[in-house]
Amino acid sequence: MENNKLKIGIIGLGTVGSGVVKTLENFKNVEIVSAAVRNLNKKRSVNVKNITDNPFEIVNNPDIDVVVEVAGGCNPAYELITTAIKNKKHIVTANKELLAKFGAQIFDLAIENNVAVLYEAAVAGGIPIIGPIKTTLRGNIFSKVAGILNGTTNYILTKMEENNISYEACLKDAQALGYAEADPTGDVEGFDAMYKIATLANITFHKRIDVNKIYREGITKISADDIKFADEFGYKIKLIGLAQKYESDNNKLDIRVHPMLVPKSNMISGINNAMNAVLLEGFPVDKVMFTGPGAGEFPTASSVVGDILSIAGEIGHTDTVLPLHRCNHKEEAEIIDIKHTKNKYYISIKAPNSKGTIGLIGTVCGNNNINLSSILQKGTKEDNTAQVIVITEESNEFDIQKAIEELKAHNIKINNLIRVM
């Protein structure tokens, strides 16, 4: 590191990349050597002296110490980052998808080449969570990590609750305000949260996670009625990323992303709009929650720049930069199928308004080892059907799915099934 300045190259000058450039103006020990962009002619809010549309110029530049990758996606990000690592460059990235899918290969290569890979911005934007888990919380044995990991879906669910409007109407509003992309699939179908919980599970339980084995369900089936009924029962609906030790075998993990009814007494229920939160449970800390902005130009840049400055503080002073932040574990996690999990359930049912319907629902549930905590009929519609809301006690997922199939066979429609936190 010449002239006591850390020399970095940035891949991506979009929202996050621009925020990084603006934030780094406050630090004189870091120099931006070059930046790579997709479109050289695009108007930008920042100026970098050397801009290229060939990102391989960044990763192969011998003058660069750290490659900052904030472009996203896996192609060409994977080839770029692995090339940079082979060239002995440290990595700072915000790329959750890349880490979830190819983290094992990247971390192994980083160990082999004695470089650090930092990714605080890849999980919850501006919330410091990776660093604390790897350092100040290192003395804990964790049993669970859960959280609201996607600001777009949390904003939509919050506005659906506040305004009593449909998912579709709220999505259009979120898109108009810039909270949701034109193609919102990655957010609303739970992919974004899935990538993030995979990374959190990796570092919390010291096991490698196959993202393809994570159960994923988005928010597109949530209705305004679901939110209203959940509120009546004392819950809020949130999209939750969950990773926990399997209760009957702590060597196995239960990892999933799906909507959940969160009790209003739970701290996570109060996280609204585009905010994120991560809740950790373990010994000896018991429970601790981190909350803050999960995305955005400057919140995400805060985490990226923090990682850059962490490297700047060590490079040139030690042969192994930031050893506590390196991924040394290699054991693959055994992830259970969701059908083997136990949960409480909210079930919204449309049934014929006739004698014996409530009794039939109770009988089918009872025959499948499901105890009901609450059952409520919410009026009768013009087609002589009734809306029935059921809250179960803790039950096996397999039994719940079997009961639902039996109810359908009796001409009972299931509007929605939501697990309870």
Side-chain angles (χ1 to χ4, degrees):
M1 190 168 68
E2 297 178 5
N3 303 322
N4 296 318
K5 283 192 175 184
L6 184 74
K7 292 181 169 53
I8 71 168
I10 301 178
I11 299 174
L13 277 183
T15 299
V16 176
S18 297
V20 170
V21 173
K22 294 171 187 175
T23 305
L24 283 176
E25 291 175 355
N26 299 309
F27 299 93
K28 304 306 179 186
N29 61 332
V30 178
E31 177 186 346
I32 301 172
V33 174
S34 184
V37 298
R38 290 188 179 93
N39 182 359
L40 290 172
N41 298 317
K42 183 179 178 181
K43 211 171 179 182
R44 293 181 171 80
S45 61
V46 293
N47 292 313
V48 176
K49 59 184 178 182
N50 296 310
I51 296 183
T52 177
D53 59 0
N54 180 6
F56 285 94
E57 291 182 11
I58 302 287
V59 299
N60 289 314
N61 188 332
D63 294 329
I64 288 174
D65 303 304
V66 178
V67 170
V68 178
E69 188 275 312
V70 286
C74 293
N75 182 25
Y78 177 73
E79 186 179 358
L80 290 167
I81 284 180
T82 53
T83 300
I85 292 172
K86 290 173 185 176
N87 288 333
K88 312 298 182 184
K89 301 184 190 305
H90 301 286
I91 304 296
V92 173
T93 181
N95 196 329
K96 63 258 181 181
E97 181 181 3
L98 181 73
L99 293 173
K101 293 179 177 178
F102 298 103
Q105 296 92 318
I106 290 169
F107 295 137
D108 283 349
L109 192 64
I111 293 291
E112 182 183 328
N113 287 275
N114 191 28
V115 299
V117 176
L118 302 188
Y119 48 94
E120 186 65 70
V123 170
I127 301 174
I129 185 66
I130 304 297
I133 291 173
K134 286 180 172 286
T135 55
T136 52
L137 293 170
R138 196 177 183 89
N140 284 270
I141 298 172
F142 293 108
S143 57
K144 178 193 238 181
V145 56
I148 297 169
L149 302 175
N150 182 269
T152 298
T153 51
N154 203 45
Y155 174 85
I156 290 172
L157 292 172
T158 299
K159 294 309 175 186
M160 286 177 67
E161 177 189 2
E162 290 178 350
N163 302 322
N164 191 30
I165 58 176
S166 69
Y167 161 79
E168 290 80 9
C170 200
L171 173 61
K172 288 181 180 178
D173 176 57
Q175 288 171 322
L177 293 171
Y179 284 106
E181 301 286 347
D183 179 2
T185 304
D187 294 318
V188 301
E189 294 293 358
F191 288 98
D192 179 78
M194 178 181 71
Y195 300 144
K196 293 172 180 177
I197 197 64
T199 296
L200 282 172
N202 181 315
I203 64 171
T204 302
F205 299 110
H206 309 293
K207 293 186 178 181
R208 292 186 167 173
I209 309 300
D210 182 349
V211 72
N212 297 306
K213 294 181 180 179
I214 297 176
Y215 177 83
R216 175 192 54 77
E217 182 183 325
I219 67 166
T220 56
K221 295 179 183 177
I222 303 296
S223 70
D225 280 348
D226 290 326
I227 290 177
K228 180 175 67 176
F229 297 147
D231 179 68
E232 291 180 20
F233 282 106
Y235 298 94
K236 288 193 174 187
I237 298 178
K238 301 291 184 181
L239 181 70
I240 299 293
L242 169 68
Q244 60 188 354
K245 291 181 177 178
Y246 186 44
E247 61 176 18
S248 62
D249 186 346
N250 281 344
N251 290 317
K252 298 178 181 178
L253 295 179
D254 171 15
I255 310 178
R256 40 195 161 113
V257 171
H258 52 66
M260 297 190 85
L261 266 68
V262 180
K264 291 181 182 179
S265 58
N266 189 305
M267 294 182 287
I268 286 181
S269 72
I271 306 303
N272 293 319
N273 296 309
M275 299 291 278
N276 280 196
V278 180
L279 176 67
L280 289 160
E281 294 184 16
F283 176 82
V285 76
D286 192 17
K287 295 180 182 178
V288 59
M289 189 169 83
F290 298 75
T291 183
E297 179 179 11
F298 289 112
T300 308
S302 168
S303 292
V304 173
V305 171
D307 282 347
I308 293 169
L309 295 177
S310 293
I311 295 172
E314 293 213 352
I315 195 170
H317 300 291
T318 176
D319 292 333
T320 304
V321 172
L322 299 167
L324 288 183
H325 288 261
R326 302 195 180 195
C327 178
N328 294 296
H329 55 269
K330 294 184 180 289
E331 183 182 357
E332 298 283 342
E334 185 175 350
I335 302 173
I336 64 165
D337 190 291
I338 194 163
K339 69 183 179 184
H340 298 305
T341 65
K342 287 185 177 181
N343 309 274
K344 296 179 181 178
Y345 297 85
Y346 158 101
I347 309 173
S348 172
I349 296 169
K350 182 180 179 181
N353 183 35
S354 56
K355 291 181 180 179
T357 296
I358 298 293
L360 174 62
I361 293 170
T363 298
V364 169
C365 288
N367 289 342
N368 285 283
N369 307 307
I370 301 164
N371 291 325
L372 303 184
S373 174
S374 302
I375 185 166
L376 185 65
Q377 181 171 332
K378 301 294 294 183
T380 305
K381 298 192 179 291
E382 293 181 359
D383 60 358
N384 200 35
T385 60
Q387 187 152 21
V388 179
I389 306 299
V390 170
I391 303 286
T392 77
E393 294 182 2
E394 188 173 73
S395 307
N396 291 312
E397 177 87 16
F398 179 83
D399 291 333
I400 287 286
Q401 296 298 341
K402 189 168 179 288
I404 284 175
E405 290 307 312
E406 290 184 22
L407 289 171
K408 289 178 180 177
H410 287 283
N411 199 31
I412 293 175
K413 180 184 176 183
I414 307 301
N415 294 323
N416 212 347
L417 168 73
I418 308 174
R419 298 161 190 88
V420 179
M421 195 169 186

